Amino acid sequence: SDPPEWKDHRRTIAALLSPLASEALRTRARYWADHHLDRVIEQGACDLVDDLTVPVPASVVLEWMGLPRSDWEWCWTAFHGVSAHPNGTPEHRRATDAYADVMARLTEELRDRVRNPRDDALTTIACHEIDGVRIAEDVARSIAFLTVTGGIDTTTSFTGAALLHLSEHPADRRRLLDDPALLPVATEEFLRYYPPARTHAR
């Protein structure tokens, strides 16, 4: 949407995603990274996408949003399934159906937050007011949906591409291992070279 509507809606999650607030999520990101790496160690084998770049960002985002843990894997599978399979295939149709179920679940959770506010991102979104009026449910659902999508799908795409690059360019990998201070610059460069969203349109 265009300003001023866009600006008012953007404020819904601006505080949640401020640099200070995002920094607070670092502890949970480390926790979930350790958790999923521990599972890989016990398995004795690892698929970087299935075992790491999918569940880690999804766990961070879905916990932060406030969705029940029992919904997490089902939710991230639906989000990735729509992107992973060609349109028109049985797999894509199943993923699309699951997508609709995720939207219905988000709606239920947002309604519950209006009735029973909690200390989570869904409550912030559901109860956000513009000029003293709570935002409409369909707007809250869209914002929640975009927030989850941005946290899950694009982060997985980015981290997967970065890890693939490092596996194919051992000199870059060694450079980062030898000098971890380069990680922030490397992250920006990976984002530039492997943008996780390439089809922006209005």
Side-chain angles (χ1 to χ4, degrees):
S1 60
D2 293 313
E5 185 181 41
W6 174 86
K7 200 170 287 185
D8 289 333
H9 290 156
R10 179 67 181 81
R11 287 195 187 101
T12 308
I13 56 170
L16 288 171
L17 296 174
S18 70
L20 188 61
S22 297
E23 185 64 28
L25 286 174
R26 190 182 297 272
T27 301
R28 299 310 297 162
R30 284 198 179 109
Y31 170 83
W32 287 114
D34 288 344
H35 171 82
H36 289 288
L37 284 170
D38 286 344
R39 293 180 64 183
V40 169
I41 291 168
E42 292 168 5
Q43 291 170 190
C46 175
D47 181 297
L48 286 175
V49 174
D50 290 339
D51 297 326
L52 196 64
T53 69
V54 167
V56 172
S59 297
V60 174
V61 170
L62 296 173
E63 180 183 61
W64 170 69
M65 291 292 284
L67 285 170
R69 189 167 177 184
S70 57
D71 287 348
W72 290 4
E73 188 167 356
W74 162 71
C75 186
W76 78 54
T77 300
F79 274 95
H80 291 303
V82 171
S83 303
H85 304 291
N87 197 4
T89 62
E91 294 85 359
H92 189 270
R93 282 193 292 273
R94 282 194 294 272
T96 302
D97 291 343
Y99 222 42
D101 292 339
V102 169
M103 291 297 283
R105 189 77 180 92
L106 279 175
T107 302
E108 291 173 9
E109 291 291 324
L110 287 164
R111 287 173 181 168
D112 181 62
R113 295 313 188 281
V114 172
R115 295 188 300 268
N116 306 295
R118 304 178 204 171
D119 184 20
D120 59 28
L122 279 175
T123 297
T124 300
I125 294 168
C127 299
H128 182 71
E129 295 183 353
I130 297 174
D131 297 329
V133 178
R134 193 173 70 240
I135 60 174
E137 183 179 276
D138 64 322
V139 173
R141 183 172 55 243
S142 292
I143 292 171
F145 171 77
L146 287 170
T147 304
V148 172
T149 303
I152 292 179
D153 207 39
T154 57
T155 309
T156 291
S157 176
F158 162 68
T159 52
L163 289 171
L164 179 62
H165 175 96
L166 292 173
S167 73
E168 294 176 340
H169 298 82
D172 290 346
R173 180 173 177 269
R174 173 47 55 193
R175 190 175 173 201
L176 289 176
L177 287 170
D178 291 343
D179 188 2
L182 291 172
L183 278 167
V185 174
T187 299
E188 294 296 328
E189 192 64 3
F190 286 137
L191 281 168
R192 183 188 70 81
Y193 203 75
Y194 303 110
R198 301 172 187 241
T199 55
H200 291 300
R202 293 188 67 179

